[in-house]
Amino acid sequence: MLAAPLAPARTVVTRTAYWTRLLPALAALACATRVPSFVRPLWNPDEGYLAVQARLLAHGGQLYETVVDRKPPLVPWLYEAAFAVCGSGSLTPVRVLAVLAQLLTAALLASLARRRWGDTAGRTAGVLYLLVSVGLNPEDAQAATFEVFILPCTVAALWCADRGRWGAAGAAVACAFLTKQTGGAVLLPVACLLHTAGTPRAGVVRLGAGFAVPVVCAALVTDPAGFLFWTVTGSAAYASFTGSELHVLGRCLANAAILAVACAGLIPPVVRALRAARPAAADLWLWLWLASSAVAVALGFHFFGHYYLQLTPPAALLATAALRLPPRERLTGAVLTSACCCVLFLAWGVLAPRPELAHAQRLAGALAQRTAPADRVLVWGMHPETYWLAGRTPATRYLTAGLLTNYSGGRDGPQVGEKYAVEGTWPVFRAELAAHAPALVVDDSRGRPYAPDRVPSLRRLLEARYEEVGRVDGAVLYARIPRG
């Protein structure tokens, strides 16, 4: 009679012991795989864009009004909060948050796998995810940008759905969407789990409410019309690759090949499992997760490397499901192969030169020398980090030439120029330059399709009011002509 109550206690002790051993190991691995992210002040223009946005927001800027981007608000707010606590001179605090995001993603995957397939599967899922999470060009894998912060939200959505917590699952999907629009793709596998669970209509209502409430609140806190335009309706031209087909296809295949190298230990067991038997109906949600993530990567037809990060959690979980089958030697081989590939990518991150960062640093130094801290400047290019590195305020809310020329996404086709800009941007741009004439204009186009000689409004401005005063690595500096 006295033995019955002891079973739950033993279960709690076992669960606690499991996580007490696993979490420190995952934390150590998460820190090790993110070491390269701390060796450079900045990894890519997305980090630079977010850093400049955060500074502008901290000085009274309003998202989607005086500070704009085609992204939802969570990551700019995250940067702003990190800068408010630790200062805006370094991205180290945000990089620490990225490590924590990776750890949380791995822990949630481990919990999902353990609940379905046992203790070993939980350890396998967490470790495999962290090993393959760095398997891209370091500027994509090591940067503290949108996709890194999407991943814990997407896995949390499925973790909640697996336990029938539909309101929380909807809120997690909303957080993924509010981090980056493609995060909403996780709604498909969540809906699959909802259907499989046979949950009544109340589950659908809770899922929908959990998603809608955070999204509506974010829109109301910012600007509803601006939120809708910049996150949904204003990106039609961006989601096109007309005229850049070969350019885009090459990037797609190159990044897919790089990720395939990182997943060399995961792909064989998944292929063997598929050959041995058809996927079980109970695992349909997992395949839908991979498929919906692939659609998210392709959405917009740009195929940047960091987009592929959304594939890594479902890939790790699929491999875990396949590796639970005998023989056990395959599990050891998969982990060792993944570890070796991880070491190669970490070495790439630590040792590879970053010429564009060096260019931005030299340009920022020249800009800081020729202007005062209170001066507004205009950097006409695709590297907004120049503003942040120089400590200067942009003369306009449009931090790159992309929004004003449709060059966003690195397109190299004919649909680049003033007439292909985001609707309504040029009148605002002209008004801002009239109200806050930049003390210095930096043409950092360096022969690309958005150069001033192909943008009449900017060319006329430079010819009428500015004169060339210097060059830095092909970038041209123009100072305002004093009025006599």
Side-chain angles (χ1 to χ4, degrees):
M1 297 293 292
L2 296 176
L6 296 178
R10 278 198 296 270
T11 301
V12 171
V13 171
T14 301
R15 184 183 300 117
T16 301
Y18 178 84
W19 289 109
T20 300
R21 291 191 296 269
L22 181 58
L23 280 178
L26 292 180
L29 186 56
C31 291
T33 56
R34 301 297 295 182
V35 164
S37 71
F38 293 91
V39 303
R40 302 186 189 280
L42 187 137
W43 275 99
N44 65 23
D46 281 350
E47 283 188 328
Y49 205 114
L50 286 161
V52 177
Q53 277 188 306
R55 276 184 176 171
L56 293 173
L57 290 172
H59 289 86
Q62 183 179 350
L63 204 56
Y64 308 125
E65 281 293 323
T66 56
V67 182
V68 299
D69 191 14
R70 288 186 172 108
K71 301 293 192 300
L74 283 194
V75 181
W77 286 342
L78 184 68
Y79 269 64
E80 182 187 6
F83 284 3
V85 174
C86 303
S88 63
S90 169
L91 295 186
T92 297
V94 186
R95 303 273 170 75
V96 172
L97 293 176
V99 174
L100 296 176
Q102 291 290 70
L103 174 59
L104 179 57
T105 303
L108 289 170
L109 283 171
S111 181
L112 260 173
R114 186 191 185 209
R115 186 170 188 264
R116 287 182 168 266
W117 306 306
D119 289 358
T120 300
R123 290 188 288 269
T124 301
V127 169
L128 285 180
Y129 167 72
L130 289 172
L131 291 176
V132 302
S133 66
V134 296
L136 290 162
N137 187 316
E139 71 177 31
D140 296 308
Q142 296 293 340
T145 52
F146 303 95
E147 285 76 14
V148 169
F149 297 110
I150 280 179
L151 300 181
C153 302
T154 58
V155 183
L158 289 163
W159 188 93
C160 293
D162 192 47
R163 288 158 173 76
R165 301 173 185 175
W166 304 115
V173 175
C175 287
F177 172 80
L178 290 171
T179 302
K180 188 182 176 187
Q181 297 92 322
T182 55
V186 76
L187 186 60
L188 182 61
V190 167
C192 178
L193 285 172
L194 177 59
H195 175 74
T196 303
T199 304
R201 187 177 301 176
V204 178
V205 172
R206 289 196 295 272
L207 178 65
F211 175 79
V213 170
V215 173
V216 171
C217 288
L220 293 175
V221 168
T222 55
D223 169 62
F227 175 88
L228 180 64
F229 178 80
W230 285 106
T231 63
V232 181
T233 63
S235 300
Y238 183 82
S240 170
F241 65 111
T242 303
S244 301
E245 294 86 349
L246 293 178
H247 183 70
V248 169
L249 179 61
R251 186 191 295 138
C252 169
L253 296 177
N255 286 319
I258 293 172
L259 184 60
V261 171
C263 294
L266 278 58
I267 295 173
V270 172
V271 172
R272 280 194 296 267
L274 285 173
R275 287 177 176 174
R278 295 178 61 184
D283 294 336
L284 177 61
W285 66 275
L286 188 48
W287 289 98
L288 283 175
W289 187 13
L290 182 67
S292 63
S293 298
V295 171
V297 170
L299 196 65
F301 307 108
H302 293 287
F303 299 101
F304 287 120
H306 48 90
Y307 291 9
Y308 286 75
L309 288 173
Q310 280 191 252
L311 294 170
T312 53
L317 209 54
L318 276 169
T320 299
L323 289 166
R324 77 184 192 276
L325 304 173
R328 185 53 61 90
E329 291 78 11
R330 289 176 177 171
L331 172 58
T332 303
V335 173
L336 287 176
T337 301
S338 299
C340 290
C341 293
C342 179
V343 170
L344 291 176
F345 281 98
L346 293 180
W348 184 8
V350 171
L351 301 175
R354 313 305 302 179
E356 284 300 316
L357 173 60
H359 167 77
Q361 289 173 318
R362 288 190 292 270
L363 192 57
L367 196 155
Q369 276 187 336
R370 291 181 173 274
T371 58
D375 287 339
R376 291 176 180 262
V377 298
L378 172 64
V379 178
W380 184 256
M382 299 301 294
H383 291 277
E385 62 267 28
T386 306
Y387 293 116
W388 179 69
L389 292 167
R392 296 296 183 265
T393 301
T396 175
R397 69 189 68 185
Y398 308 119
L399 303 185
T400 71
L403 297 175
L404 293 158
T405 64
N406 197 38
Y407 188 76
S408 303
R411 69 179 71 251
D412 63 350
Q415 292 190 350
V416 174
E418 195 171 332
K419 67 178 181 179
Y420 299 109
V422 174
E423 181 182 356
T425 53
W426 273 96
V428 174
F429 180 65
R430 294 188 191 98
E432 288 179 327
L433 294 191
H436 306 288
L440 195 74
V441 176
V442 179
D443 170 21
D444 195 28
S445 59
R446 290 175 281 165
R448 293 182 177 86
Y450 58 88
D453 59 0
R454 297 181 59 177
V455 183
S457 292
L458 182 61
R459 184 180 67 245
R460 287 192 293 267
L461 172 71
L462 293 175
E463 290 173 350
R465 300 174 60 185
Y466 290 82
E467 62 181 354
E468 181 179 335
V469 293
R471 291 178 178 252
V472 178
D473 298 340
V476 185
L477 281 60
Y478 295 91
R480 197 165 62 233
I481 299 173
R483 294 186 178 182

